[in-house]
Every structure is written in C-alpha cells, then in structure tokens.
Amino acid sequence: MAMNTVMCLLTDAEGTPLGSAMYIPHNAGHLQLINLVNTFLNNEEKLSYSFYVSDEELLVSVGTYMERNSVSVENVLKIVYRQQAVFRIRPVYRCSQTISDVHEGEILCVSFSPDGKQLASGSGDKTVRLWDLNTETPMFTCKGHKEHVLAVAWSPDAKCLVSGDRDGKVCCWDPSKGELLGNALSGHKKWICGIAWEPAHLSYPSRRFVTCGKDGDARIWDFTLKRTLIVLSGHTRAVTCVKWGGDGTIYTGSQDSTIRMWEITQQGQGILKHILRDHAGWVNSLSLSTEYVLRTGAFDHTRQVTCSDEEMKKIALERYIKAKGKVDSPERLVSGSDDFTIILWEPSVSLQPKQKMVTTARVTGHQQLVNHVYFSPNGQWIASASFDKSVKLWDGVTGKFITAFRGHANCVYQISWSPDSRMLLSCSKDSTLKVWDIGTKKLKHDLPGHKDEVWAVDWSPDGEKVASGGLDKDLKLWKG
Amino acid sequence: MIAKKNYAEKAQMKKTLKMHEESSSRRKADEDVQEGAVPAYLLDRENTTRAKVLSNTIKQKRKEKAGKWEVPLPKVRPVAEDEMFRVIRSGKRKTKQWKRMVTKATFVGPGFTRKPPKYERFIRPSGLRFTKAHVTHPELRCTFCLEIIGIKKNPNGPMYTSLGVMTRGTIIEVNVSELGLVTPAGKVVWGKYAQVTNNPENDGCINAVLLV
C-alpha cells in the first residue's frame, strides 16, 4: 500500500531546523509529531508541543492541512514547534469570595507572593493588607503609609514585601507578621510608579530593589540596611515603569518617551548604559521575556519545599536560563506607549528596535494608547492591553501580530497570564474581567461581578487563584 | 391663552431636557488627594468623574418596565376622528360613505402597496406621505434630515399608530446611522426614537426632537 508522504521541515520558534527535511506520512497528526520532536531532541520525559504552519496552529493531520490549503506537495512544508507547559492550569470561572468593607479605599494594586501562599493588596485607604488564601480572609493590616499605596512588590524569595505610596515613601514589611520594618523610607520627592526586585539568581536572599517615581529618578534601595544605595537620575519626566533584568541591567521607561538601561558597576555605582529612543509618546509599560521567571525566582508550579539558600539560587538560575531559550539568545524587552505602538527590543544585541508593532496598517496596531504589555511566562507571546477596548496577542520572538481579543466594552487596564501560558486574563474599566484562551484565540470566561472599574488583577504563580480589585473597594478572589 | 400654554409647554420641555442632562453629567476632577484614589497608571491622566451613571441605568430599566417614557411633549391636544378623516362618498349614486381619507401626514414604509381600491377603507393620499423628518438633537442643538423607519406610537390611539399617521406628539423611529453613535457594548446604533414637535399637515415637513 503506497503511503502518501509529505516533505516537512521542523523548525523551532527562532528558525533553527531540527534535523533536515524529512518525509512524514500523510496521516501524521499531533501525537505523531510530538513523538517525532521528542525523539529528535532526545527528551527524557515526553514534553508537549504545539505546531504552527505559517503562524496558524496545526490542529489536523498534515495531509488534511495540505489538502485544505492546497499546498503543493513539491514544496517543503515548514512546521514550527513550540513547547507547551507541562502542567495545565484550570481556567478561572467563578468568584469564590468577595471581600467587601475591609479596604476602606479603592484597591490600587494586588500582588501574589512568588510562592503563591500570600496575597498583598495596596489601597487608597493608605494600608497594605495581607490575606490568608486558605480561608480567604484578611490576615494582617499593615499601617505605615500616610498616602494612597500605589505599588506593592514581593521579593523573589517571598520573604520581603515592599510598598510605595503617593507621597514617595517606601515601606518595608515582614509578610509573616505584617509588621513594618523600620520607618517609612523617604527619598523620592513625588509618587512612586513602580517597584522591581533584583533577580533571585543574582542575589539570594533578596536584598536590593529599585523604585521609580514621578520625580524622574529611579532609586536602588537595600532592604536590610533600609536606605538608598544608588540614585539613577537622568530621565527628564516621570519614570513610569522599572524592570530589573536577569543579566543585571535595569530598564526604566519614562514619560519623556525614552527607555534607559542602567548597570551597577563593581564599585557600586549606577551608570547609564544606553538610551533607547524610538517612542513618540509616554512609555507606559515595560516587559521582559524572562519577567515571570524573575518574579517567581526559585518557585515554580511544583511548589517545592524550601531548601538552602545556595540551592534556591541555583534553581533560580536554571529556571532563568531555561526561560531565556538557548544559552546565547538575548533577553527581549517590549515597551508599550502612549503613541499607540509597542516596540520589541533586543537591548543587548542592538539599540535599534527589533520589531515595531506599529499602526502602519492601522488594522493590526492599537487605536488607542497601550496601557500594559506583558510577556507570557514562557516568553513565546506578548499580550498588550489598550484603551481601545482590545487586548492584542503578538509573537514573542518576532513581534508579529497574531490576534486581537475583543469583548471589553471600555478601556482595558491590566493583564495577567496564567503560569502555563495557555490563558490570559484582562481587567477593564467596564468592571469585568475576561479570561482568553490562547489555543483557540477566543474568550474562555467572562467574570463580571465588580460594581465598578477594575484596576488591578493578578494570577497566583501556582495557578490556583486570581485576585482582582478596583474602584468599588471590593477584593474578589476567583477560583477554577 | 395659547401663548400661555406654549410658554408652559416650553418651560416643561426645558425642565425635562435639563433633567436628562444632569443624569449623565461629567465634571472635571480636581486635584483631590483624600478621595479619588487612582492607580499609578491613571494618575497623570485627566480623568472626569462620573456622577453615578449606575443608578441612572437602574432607574431607566424600571421606567421601561412600567412602560412610561419621559418625552419632551408629554401632553398633546387630542385629535378628533372627524378632524383626522374626511368622509369619501362612493358608489354609483354616491350614497355609500364607508371610505375615509386621512387628512394628516402619514408614513407608509418602502414596501407599501395599496389594497385593491374597491376594498380600501382608509385612503392615505400620496401627497401627504413623508419619508424623512428633520430631527433635532436636544444636546448638540443641530438638526439632521433623517429617514423615518416607522411609527412607534401615536398618542391619539392605536388605530392611528397602525395607519402610520403622524401628528404632533407621535413617537417615530428614525435612522441615525449618520450620527455615528455606538452602544457601550461596541455595537453601532442605527435606529432611535424621536417625537414630532410640529403639525406636519400645516407645514409640509416633519420636525422632531430626538429622544436620548
């Protein structure tokens, strides 16, 4: 019996081919291709992959695909394989708890700890509250700020919590007791826009974090010494976001439409490395391709028991390298701006933008300012939330537009990815949260229930819970 | 006396319009520190405060349920049947008087075909048929010439509604795709209600005000 075969070439997301072009039988489906890739890569455990032909997912057998799209059998079919997460997160669809009347002010930021055990929320009533996730009740109320708490950040070892307020003060908390450590640290002259910690694989236990503020400075603080170490000044207007990269570079995006890259020298000086100029409006949000791994440090979905400091540092380093892709592939940075564009950079390679996700066609780009950009945990996709009521999905390596998720009735404020990169969560001014499925590129669940705008959303790193809060002062916990 | 009535009507209409305005009012936000906590990404942006649009939608839903609508002209002079219709005599000896001709402006719709003339009871003369109305937007204060889609309700009775007679106070549905309005869900609005404000049979045109 003659078997119809198709000539195919398997390549990975960056274009490197896996073996040479080979004949694959007509009826080879998903499973057979997975087996093939696993054998070629000599994987010990069978990993799951998804396959794409010319950017569309290959869901049927190879032969059916060729027939449907009338691809000539003479050409070599290029199939791109992407690794999917080994674990699967359950989609969130119900509100397990609405906690009202606890926060007396609007909830401005929520953040899960990297090990997924604790939740911190900062609000307009000048407090930071820590929540017990098992009983879904408030655990500690941290008082210490004299103004609205605008930003809250956990250290990658989950032992320290830092919050910044509208006055420019920074407070350090002990999350196990909910106590203020020391006094409110002053330094910034105006409100604080963002906080980022030094990655776990560079320093364990975590000590240094950087904050950025409206006054145009970024300050590096030491948690244990409770003081500013270095001031990174240079931006002419407010610094809206700051990220600490895995190679030690600090990226700051500002309203003066530039992104600056800083480095800390051996002597402990902060020097400016490069300036990335290409935006025409405020830079609203930055995201690194390894961001999720840097945030969660040594913790992953397996919820390990704590080991010694050196081991944790090693695990964090391993995770970081794996997230970067190949050993020499650079960290990618994506920035979203008020000029409706998103730019993908490879800062260590070149100062010119790698790919501008721009509105030249006006169809694929955003029609309003981009508020939040976020790399997926596996670095394969970029999601962007914009005030034009849509969330757009882009390829994380090339920056090509994949699809737009429409459904929100008003500006989309923030996004959060599920840890397995299969689902995307967005919160909006129209008081709903929406869960989008990346595989089917459709809306998975609509989560209404908030009475007013939702300003902050976070998916816990273990994938169990989602927390959201906003103008209506209720903190809602959602479960799968 | 008519002037007094007109003045009273005008005052009432102004009050209703102002009430409509207040319910969707937007006020510029001041540099308030105590109230109005906003997240960092919204801080530098000029945000307008909304005056509780949420309760307004609930009130509107209740009114819809009750079937009561707030219109610019709540009360209109009732039109008597002998004013609305003229008796047409028919038959060989002109003794049959069962036919009536409408003396007011009507709307018949694009696919209208008359019944066989022998059996037609109500005659709507083509001279009194209108397809377009001059609709004024109460807030923008500009007038558009929009196509009529249909007659929603004639206050003088359901018979006139079904005939398509337009007198003062009739609620008509007009095609507003020209205005480019969009619902909060993102869908384009193409039909809206308007109320006729003049006597079209006297003026030869239909003036209406849009119900927002």
Side-chain angles (χ1 to χ4, degrees):
Chain A
M1 190 174 73
M3 272 267 258
N4 277 335
T5 52
V6 178
M7 182 92 148
C8 296
L9 180 65
L10 288 166
T11 57
D12 74 353
E14 279 158 36
T16 37
L18 187 69
S20 57
M22 60 198 101
Y23 281 106
I24 296 181
H26 231 214
N27 54 3
H30 208 200
L31 287 170
Q32 286 87 0
L33 287 172
I34 291 179
N35 280 333
L36 203 64
V37 176
N38 274 313
T39 339
F40 265 100
L41 290 176
N42 294 326
N43 288 331
E44 288 170 359
E45 13 168 308
K46 235 178 81 166
L47 297 170
S48 173
Y49 292 92
S50 57
F51 298 94
Y52 295 84
V53 183
S54 48
D55 295 328
E56 269 177 46
E57 192 158 357
L58 183 62
L59 297 161
V60 297
S61 73
V62 181
T64 332
Y65 176 81
M66 304 277 277
E67 274 172 40
R68 259 193 224 161
N69 298 48
S70 41
V71 179
S72 156
V73 195
E74 312 227 344
N75 295 337
V76 177
L77 191 68
K78 279 210 179 69
I79 305 179
V80 178
Y81 66 88
R82 283 174 205 267
Q83 187 180 355
Q84 287 186 325
V86 179
F87 56 104
R88 218 168 236 285
I89 301 288
R90 272 204 300 258
V92 168
Y93 65 91
R94 61 189 176 93
C95 180
S96 66
Q97 187 71 256
T98 304
I99 304 165
S100 346
D101 299 329
V102 173
H103 266 298
E104 285 139 32
E106 300 84 348
I107 295 174
L108 302 176
C109 46
V110 290
S111 184
F112 277 97
S113 69
D115 57 358
K117 293 204 183 95
Q118 285 184 298
L119 170 65
S121 61
S123 129
D125 66 355
K126 309 167 201 162
T127 61
V128 173
R129 278 172 211 264
L130 289 163
W131 307 83
D132 179 10
L133 290 174
N134 293 325
T135 56
E136 295 176 349
T137 50
M139 209 157 58
F140 299 116
T141 305
C142 310
K143 296 201 180 140
H145 280 290
K146 292 206 171 64
E147 276 293 333
H148 314 317
V149 179
L150 288 175
V152 90
W154 290 87
S155 66
D157 63 355
K159 295 210 182 78
C160 320
L161 178 65
V162 157
S163 56
D165 75 359
R166 206 169 183 277
D167 224 1
K169 303 261 189 313
V170 174
C171 283
C172 305
W173 313 91
D174 175 10
S176 52
K177 297 191 204 94
E179 280 172 4
L180 177 61
L181 299 168
N183 288 329
L185 309 169
S186 50
H188 279 288
K189 294 181 191 63
K190 289 201 191 148
W191 65 73
I192 290 182
C193 298
I195 310 176
W197 279 86
E198 187 169 12
H201 64 262
L202 291 177
S203 123
Y204 204 96
S206 317
R207 273 189 71 166
R208 295 191 292 190
F209 60 95
V210 61
T211 59
C212 65
K214 165 117 175 97
D215 52 3
D217 293 340
R219 276 168 184 260
I220 303 179
W221 310 74
D222 187 310
F223 189 84
T224 34
L225 294 176
K226 306 273 180 313
R227 62 182 192 84
T228 310
L229 293 175
I230 306 167
V231 179
L232 307 168
S233 47
H235 280 293
T236 49
R237 292 187 70 185
V239 185
T240 49
C241 43
V242 66
K243 290 275 180 284
W244 202 317
D247 51 359
T249 326
I250 298 174
Y251 302 89
T252 52
S254 155
Q255 279 178 7
D256 64 5
S257 62
T258 61
I259 302 168
R260 281 171 195 240
M261 293 163 56
W262 313 82
E263 196 177 27
I264 308 179
T265 59
Q266 295 289 350
Q267 293 84 22
Q269 294 279 332
I271 53 165
L272 175 66
K273 244 169 68 170
H274 294 298
I275 304 181
L276 303 173
R277 296 175 201 281
D278 216 72
H279 276 297
W282 298 357
V283 178
N284 285 329
S285 167
L286 290 175
S287 181
L288 289 167
S289 54
T290 49
E291 180 173 343
Y292 201 81
V293 170
L294 296 175
R295 175 195 165 188
T296 45
F299 301 100
D300 61 2
H301 63 281
T302 58
R303 274 172 274 184
Q304 288 169 326
V305 189
T306 47
C307 357
S308 74
D309 281 354
E310 291 86 42
E311 280 187 41
M312 296 289 258
K313 194 165 172 184
K314 220 177 61 163
I315 297 172
L317 186 60
E318 276 169 24
R319 286 192 79 214
Y320 172 66
I321 293 175
K322 212 168 100 170
K324 251 186 17 163
K326 299 181 298 208
V327 181
D328 48 348
S329 71
E331 231 174 19
R332 296 180 298 273
L333 172 73
V334 73
S335 55
S337 152
D338 249 19
D339 63 355
F340 310 173
T341 65
I342 308 162
I343 301 185
L344 179 67
W345 315 82
E346 259 171 7
S348 41
V349 171
S350 99
L351 288 185
Q352 294 303 314
K354 181 175 180 188
Q355 170 75 9
K356 283 200 225 189
M357 288 98 111
V358 140
T359 59
T360 45
R362 246 252 119 119
V363 179
T364 56
H366 278 294
Q367 270 102 356
Q368 272 295 315
L369 63 95
V370 181
N371 202 38
H372 196 202
V373 289
Y374 208 151
F375 258 101
S376 69
N378 58 7
Q380 283 174 9
W381 289 292
I382 301 168
S384 60
S386 156
F387 277 18
D388 70 353
K389 311 173 198 167
S390 70
V391 176
K392 293 203 188 230
L393 189 68
W394 315 78
D395 182 272
V397 178
T398 56
K400 256 179 71 175
F401 173 73
I402 298 180
T403 184
F405 296 116
R406 290 185 203 282
H408 277 297
N410 217 324
C411 318
V412 190
Y413 282 149
Q414 299 271 302
I415 16 184
S416 184
W417 284 89
S418 74
D420 65 347
S421 310
R422 288 202 178 94
M423 284 176 287
L424 178 61
L425 182 65
S426 58
C427 76
S428 152
K429 190 171 171 183
D430 67 359
S431 76
T432 62
L433 288 105
K434 293 202 196 301
V435 181
W436 312 92
D437 189 314
I438 302 298
T440 58
K441 314 255 180 359
K442 287 205 177 65
L443 176 69
K444 193 142 191 167
H445 288 297
D446 195 3
L447 306 174
H450 271 287
K451 297 190 199 81
D452 220 330
E453 305 183 17
V454 188
W455 281 333
V457 72
D458 196 19
W459 205 315
S460 76
D462 58 6
E464 294 281 300
K465 286 201 170 63
V466 167
S468 63
L471 187 50
D472 61 354
K473 305 178 195 160
D474 292 345
L475 183 81
K476 278 185 185 278
L477 288 164
W478 312 79
K479 260 171 108 150
Chain B
M1 198 184 76
I2 299 173
K4 237 196 209 166
K5 220 194 315 169
N6 279 345
Y7 175 76
E9 271 182 36
K10 184 176 179 184
Q12 175 70 2
M13 188 145 100
K14 269 201 167 176
K15 271 196 214 156
T16 354
L17 290 179
K18 222 182 177 188
M19 240 167 61
H20 277 283
E21 273 186 67
E22 242 179 63
S23 56
S24 57
S25 72
R26 288 167 168 265
R27 270 173 263 115
K28 194 162 185 276
D30 310 307
E31 275 273 275
D32 236 329
V33 173
Q34 253 50 23
E35 308 132 21
V38 268
Y41 52 84
L42 288 179
L43 262 174
D44 267 331
R45 304 193 189 277
E46 248 182 37
N47 279 323
T48 53
T49 61
R50 296 162 295 144
K52 278 301 159 197
V53 186
L54 206 69
S55 62
N56 196 34
T57 44
I58 297 176
K59 280 189 204 156
Q60 240 198 5
K61 278 213 178 105
R62 274 193 224 135
K63 264 194 239 141
E64 264 185 63
K65 262 190 164 170
K68 274 198 195 156
W69 278 97
E70 279 218 10
V71 285
L73 306 175
K75 267 194 220 151
V76 280
R77 188 176 67 87
V79 180
E81 199 187 318
D82 46 354
E83 193 186 331
M84 185 76 81
F85 298 125
R86 185 185 309 153
V87 179
I88 302 282
R89 287 168 171 270
S90 54
K92 197 171 186 182
R93 308 275 176 262
K94 297 280 189 251
T95 49
K96 295 184 181 214
Q97 288 185 27
W98 54 272
K99 278 179 175 276
R100 297 282 180 278
M101 185 174 81
V102 177
T103 58
K104 306 276 179 199
T106 59
F107 172 74
V108 288
F112 175 72
T113 351
R114 293 166 59 191
K115 278 166 80 158
K118 186 172 179 192
Y119 302 106
E120 224 178 357
R121 189 186 309 192
F122 293 104
I123 300 172
R124 281 166 278 190
S126 60
L128 286 175
R129 289 186 206 158
F130 292 95
T131 48
K132 290 199 171 194
H134 302 296
V135 184
T136 313
H137 194 289
E139 278 152 35
L140 303 176
R141 302 248 183 271
C142 48
T143 316
F144 306 94
C145 188
L146 304 173
E147 263 188 38
I148 304 173
I149 302 171
I151 309 292
K152 177 75 180 174
K153 191 169 175 63
N154 190 315
N156 294 305
M159 177 170 69
Y160 302 125
T161 313
S162 61
L163 277 179
V165 169
M166 287 184 284
T167 55
R168 189 156 191 263
T170 313
I171 310 288
I172 58 174
E173 198 178 353
V174 285
N175 184 337
V176 291
S177 47
E178 252 186 48
L179 302 183
L181 306 167
V182 180
T183 64
K187 299 203 173 78
V188 180
V189 176
W190 70 282
K192 258 188 163 315
Y193 292 134
Q195 190 179 33
V196 178
T197 51
N198 70 333
N199 292 313
E201 67 278 3
N202 297 336
D203 300 327
C205 63
I206 306 177
N207 297 338
V209 72
L210 200 63
L211 300 178
V212 283

mmCIF file of all heavy atoms in Angstrom, chain B residues 144-168:
data_model
loop_
_atom_site.group_PDB
_atom_site.id
_atom_site.type_symbol
_atom_site.label_atom_id
_atom_site.label_comp_id
_atom_site.label_asym_id
_atom_site.label_seq_id
_atom_site.Cartn_x
_atom_site.Cartn_y
_atom_site.Cartn_z
ATOM 1 N N PHE B 144 -30.756 67.254 11.821
ATOM 2 C CA PHE B 144 -30.386 66.382 10.721
ATOM 3 C C PHE B 144 -31.649 65.974 9.979
ATOM 4 O O PHE B 144 -32.707 65.848 10.571
ATOM 5 C CB PHE B 144 -29.713 65.107 11.238
ATOM 6 C CG PHE B 144 -28.543 65.368 12.139
ATOM 7 C CD1 PHE B 144 -28.706 65.410 13.510
ATOM 8 C CD2 PHE B 144 -27.291 65.550 11.603
ATOM 9 C CE1 PHE B 144 -27.634 65.635 14.338
ATOM 10 C CE2 PHE B 144 -26.214 65.776 12.435
ATOM 11 C CZ PHE B 144 -26.382 65.824 13.796
ATOM 12 N N CYS B 145 -31.513 65.729 8.692
ATOM 13 C CA CYS B 145 -32.655 65.228 7.940
ATOM 14 C C CYS B 145 -32.498 63.717 7.860
ATOM 15 O O CYS B 145 -31.660 63.222 7.120
ATOM 16 C CB CYS B 145 -32.669 65.850 6.548
ATOM 17 S SG CYS B 145 -34.165 65.468 5.649
ATOM 18 N N LEU B 146 -33.261 62.999 8.645
ATOM 19 C CA LEU B 146 -33.077 61.558 8.766
ATOM 20 C C LEU B 146 -34.286 60.814 8.231
ATOM 21 O O LEU B 146 -35.412 61.288 8.321
ATOM 22 C CB LEU B 146 -32.853 61.160 10.222
ATOM 23 C CG LEU B 146 -31.691 61.876 10.921
ATOM 24 C CD1 LEU B 146 -31.686 61.519 12.385
ATOM 25 C CD2 LEU B 146 -30.381 61.496 10.279
ATOM 26 N N GLU B 147 -34.043 59.615 7.722
ATOM 27 C CA GLU B 147 -35.136 58.790 7.207
ATOM 28 C C GLU B 147 -35.935 58.205 8.338
ATOM 29 O O GLU B 147 -35.399 57.820 9.363
ATOM 30 C CB GLU B 147 -34.547 57.627 6.411
ATOM 31 C CG GLU B 147 -34.511 57.875 4.953
ATOM 32 C CD GLU B 147 -34.093 56.593 4.243
ATOM 33 O OE1 GLU B 147 -34.514 55.505 4.684
ATOM 34 O OE2 GLU B 147 -33.333 56.716 3.293
ATOM 35 N N ILE B 148 -37.237 58.101 8.111
ATOM 36 C CA ILE B 148 -38.110 57.506 9.121
ATOM 37 C C ILE B 148 -38.122 56.001 8.887
ATOM 38 O O ILE B 148 -38.219 55.520 7.753
ATOM 39 C CB ILE B 148 -39.546 58.063 8.996
ATOM 40 C CG1 ILE B 148 -39.519 59.585 9.092
ATOM 41 C CG2 ILE B 148 -40.438 57.481 10.073
ATOM 42 C CD1 ILE B 148 -40.858 60.206 8.808
ATOM 43 N N ILE B 149 -38.001 55.248 9.963
ATOM 44 C CA ILE B 149 -38.071 53.792 9.863
ATOM 45 C C ILE B 149 -39.501 53.320 10.121
ATOM 46 O O ILE B 149 -39.991 52.405 9.463
ATOM 47 C CB ILE B 149 -37.118 53.128 10.869
ATOM 48 C CG1 ILE B 149 -35.682 53.605 10.606
ATOM 49 C CG2 ILE B 149 -37.181 51.622 10.759
ATOM 50 C CD1 ILE B 149 -34.723 53.178 11.674
ATOM 51 N N GLY B 150 -40.150 53.951 11.093
ATOM 52 C CA GLY B 150 -41.519 53.526 11.386
ATOM 53 C C GLY B 150 -42.155 54.409 12.430
ATOM 54 O O GLY B 150 -41.512 55.295 12.992
ATOM 55 N N ILE B 151 -43.446 54.182 12.668
ATOM 56 C CA ILE B 151 -44.186 54.934 13.689
ATOM 57 C C ILE B 151 -44.266 54.035 14.905
ATOM 58 O O ILE B 151 -44.700 52.882 14.823
ATOM 59 C CB ILE B 151 -45.613 55.265 13.211
ATOM 60 C CG1 ILE B 151 -45.562 55.897 11.841
ATOM 61 C CG2 ILE B 151 -46.321 56.143 14.209
ATOM 62 C CD1 ILE B 151 -44.960 57.257 11.792
ATOM 63 N N LYS B 152 -43.848 54.577 16.041
ATOM 64 C CA LYS B 152 -43.873 53.757 17.250
ATOM 65 C C LYS B 152 -45.204 53.902 17.955
ATOM 66 O O LYS B 152 -45.839 52.920 18.318
ATOM 67 C CB LYS B 152 -42.735 54.174 18.166
ATOM 68 C CG LYS B 152 -42.707 53.454 19.475
ATOM 69 C CD LYS B 152 -42.203 52.051 19.322
ATOM 70 C CE LYS B 152 -42.181 51.358 20.657
ATOM 71 N NZ LYS B 152 -41.840 49.979 20.576
ATOM 72 N N LYS B 153 -45.618 55.140 18.202
ATOM 73 C CA LYS B 153 -46.869 55.331 18.924
ATOM 74 C C LYS B 153 -47.448 56.691 18.613
ATOM 75 O O LYS B 153 -46.776 57.708 18.677
ATOM 76 C CB LYS B 153 -46.614 55.240 20.435
ATOM 77 C CG LYS B 153 -47.900 55.157 21.220
ATOM 78 C CD LYS B 153 -47.620 54.796 22.660
ATOM 79 C CE LYS B 153 -48.858 54.835 23.490
ATOM 80 N NZ LYS B 153 -49.900 53.905 23.139
ATOM 81 N N ASN B 154 -48.715 56.692 18.294
ATOM 82 C CA ASN B 154 -49.447 57.936 18.127
ATOM 83 C C ASN B 154 -50.331 58.096 19.368
ATOM 84 O O ASN B 154 -51.114 57.205 19.686
ATOM 85 C CB ASN B 154 -50.292 57.864 16.846
ATOM 86 C CG ASN B 154 -50.893 59.209 16.487
ATOM 87 O OD1 ASN B 154 -51.416 59.916 17.348
ATOM 88 N ND2 ASN B 154 -50.812 59.562 15.225
ATOM 89 N N PRO B 155 -50.197 59.205 20.069
ATOM 90 C CA PRO B 155 -50.914 59.328 21.345
ATOM 91 C C PRO B 155 -52.430 59.336 21.202
ATOM 92 O O PRO B 155 -53.146 59.161 22.184
ATOM 93 C CB PRO B 155 -50.410 60.657 21.910
ATOM 94 C CG PRO B 155 -49.885 61.400 20.735
ATOM 95 C CD PRO B 155 -49.393 60.389 19.787
ATOM 96 N N ASN B 156 -52.916 59.522 19.967
ATOM 97 C CA ASN B 156 -54.363 59.600 19.820
ATOM 98 C C ASN B 156 -55.027 58.245 19.752
ATOM 99 O O ASN B 156 -56.254 58.161 19.803
ATOM 100 C CB ASN B 156 -54.715 60.391 18.557
ATOM 101 C CG ASN B 156 -54.284 61.829 18.678
ATOM 102 O OD1 ASN B 156 -54.661 62.496 19.620
ATOM 103 N ND2 ASN B 156 -53.467 62.281 17.758
ATOM 104 N N GLY B 157 -54.261 57.198 19.599
ATOM 105 C CA GLY B 157 -54.912 55.892 19.612
ATOM 106 C C GLY B 157 -54.129 54.873 18.811
ATOM 107 O O GLY B 157 -53.365 55.214 17.916
ATOM 108 N N PRO B 158 -54.332 53.600 19.109
ATOM 109 C CA PRO B 158 -53.598 52.550 18.392
ATOM 110 C C PRO B 158 -53.993 52.435 16.927
ATOM 111 O O PRO B 158 -53.203 51.993 16.105
ATOM 112 C CB PRO B 158 -53.943 51.273 19.165
ATOM 113 C CG PRO B 158 -55.178 51.596 19.922
ATOM 114 C CD PRO B 158 -55.179 53.062 20.168
ATOM 115 N N MET B 159 -55.215 52.873 16.590
ATOM 116 C CA MET B 159 -55.624 52.788 15.188
ATOM 117 C C MET B 159 -54.755 53.702 14.334
ATOM 118 O O MET B 159 -54.325 53.350 13.242
ATOM 119 C CB MET B 159 -57.091 53.201 15.041
ATOM 120 C CG MET B 159 -57.546 53.192 13.600
ATOM 121 S SD MET B 159 -59.290 53.397 13.363
ATOM 122 C CE MET B 159 -59.528 55.079 13.856
ATOM 123 N N TYR B 160 -54.455 54.897 14.875
ATOM 124 C CA TYR B 160 -53.645 55.837 14.110
ATOM 125 C C TYR B 160 -52.209 55.361 14.025
ATOM 126 O O TYR B 160 -51.511 55.604 13.036
ATOM 127 C CB TYR B 160 -53.717 57.231 14.741
ATOM 128 C CG TYR B 160 -55.128 57.755 14.832
ATOM 129 C CD1 TYR B 160 -55.660 58.169 16.050
ATOM 130 C CD2 TYR B 160 -55.933 57.817 13.706
ATOM 131 C CE1 TYR B 160 -56.953 58.636 16.136
ATOM 132 C CE2 TYR B 160 -57.230 58.277 13.779
ATOM 133 C CZ TYR B 160 -57.738 58.682 15.005
ATOM 134 O OH TYR B 160 -59.018 59.131 15.086
ATOM 135 N N THR B 161 -51.771 54.673 15.088
ATOM 136 C CA THR B 161 -50.424 54.118 15.054
ATOM 137 C C THR B 161 -50.299 53.110 13.925
ATOM 138 O O THR B 161 -49.341 53.133 13.152
ATOM 139 C CB THR B 161 -50.090 53.431 16.384
ATOM 140 O OG1 THR B 161 -50.451 54.280 17.463
ATOM 141 C CG2 THR B 161 -48.625 53.090 16.448
ATOM 142 N N SER B 162 -51.316 52.247 13.809
ATOM 143 C CA SER B 162 -51.233 51.210 12.784
ATOM 144 C C SER B 162 -51.380 51.793 11.391
ATOM 145 O O SER B 162 -50.820 51.278 10.436
ATOM 146 C CB SER B 162 -52.300 50.141 13.022
ATOM 147 O OG SER B 162 -53.580 50.722 12.941
ATOM 148 N N LEU B 163 -52.134 52.911 11.264
ATOM 149 C CA LEU B 163 -52.265 53.536 9.951
ATOM 150 C C LEU B 163 -51.006 54.283 9.558
ATOM 151 O O LEU B 163 -50.752 54.534 8.390
ATOM 152 C CB LEU B 163 -53.441 54.527 9.951
ATOM 153 C CG LEU B 163 -54.812 53.917 9.721
ATOM 154 C CD1 LEU B 163 -55.865 54.996 9.769
ATOM 155 C CD2 LEU B 163 -54.871 53.234 8.366
ATOM 156 N N GLY B 164 -50.202 54.697 10.555
ATOM 157 C CA GLY B 164 -48.982 55.427 10.252
ATOM 158 C C GLY B 164 -49.185 56.913 10.193
ATOM 159 O O GLY B 164 -48.448 57.611 9.502
ATOM 160 N N VAL B 165 -50.177 57.398 10.921
ATOM 161 C CA VAL B 165 -50.467 58.828 10.908
ATOM 162 C C VAL B 165 -49.509 59.545 11.844
ATOM 163 O O VAL B 165 -49.275 59.103 12.966
ATOM 164 C CB VAL B 165 -51.922 59.043 11.374
ATOM 165 C CG1 VAL B 165 -52.177 60.503 11.623
ATOM 166 C CG2 VAL B 165 -52.868 58.479 10.358
ATOM 167 N N MET B 166 -48.948 60.674 11.383
ATOM 168 C CA MET B 166 -48.020 61.436 12.229
ATOM 169 C C MET B 166 -48.640 62.770 12.563
ATOM 170 O O MET B 166 -48.777 63.637 11.700
ATOM 171 C CB MET B 166 -46.696 61.647 11.485
ATOM 172 C CG MET B 166 -45.883 60.379 11.399
ATOM 173 S SD MET B 166 -44.303 60.637 10.633
ATOM 174 C CE MET B 166 -44.771 60.774 8.929
ATOM 175 N N THR B 167 -48.982 62.928 13.815
ATOM 176 C CA THR B 167 -49.470 64.213 14.283
ATOM 177 C C THR B 167 -48.500 64.698 15.342
ATOM 178 O O THR B 167 -47.504 64.053 15.632
ATOM 179 C CB THR B 167 -50.865 64.083 14.915
ATOM 180 O OG1 THR B 167 -50.779 63.087 15.938
ATOM 181 C CG2 THR B 167 -51.882 63.651 13.889
ATOM 182 N N ARG B 168 -48.808 65.823 15.927
ATOM 183 C CA ARG B 168 -47.909 66.369 16.927
ATOM 184 C C ARG B 168 -47.871 65.450 18.136
ATOM 185 O O ARG B 168 -48.895 65.048 18.643
ATOM 186 C CB ARG B 168 -48.426 67.743 17.349
ATOM 187 C CG ARG B 168 -47.477 68.482 18.221
ATOM 188 C CD ARG B 168 -47.754 69.977 18.116
ATOM 189 N NE ARG B 168 -46.695 70.714 18.747
ATOM 190 C CZ ARG B 168 -46.739 71.191 19.986
ATOM 191 N NH1 ARG B 168 -47.829 71.023 20.694
ATOM 192 N NH2 ARG B 168 -45.723 71.838 20.494
#
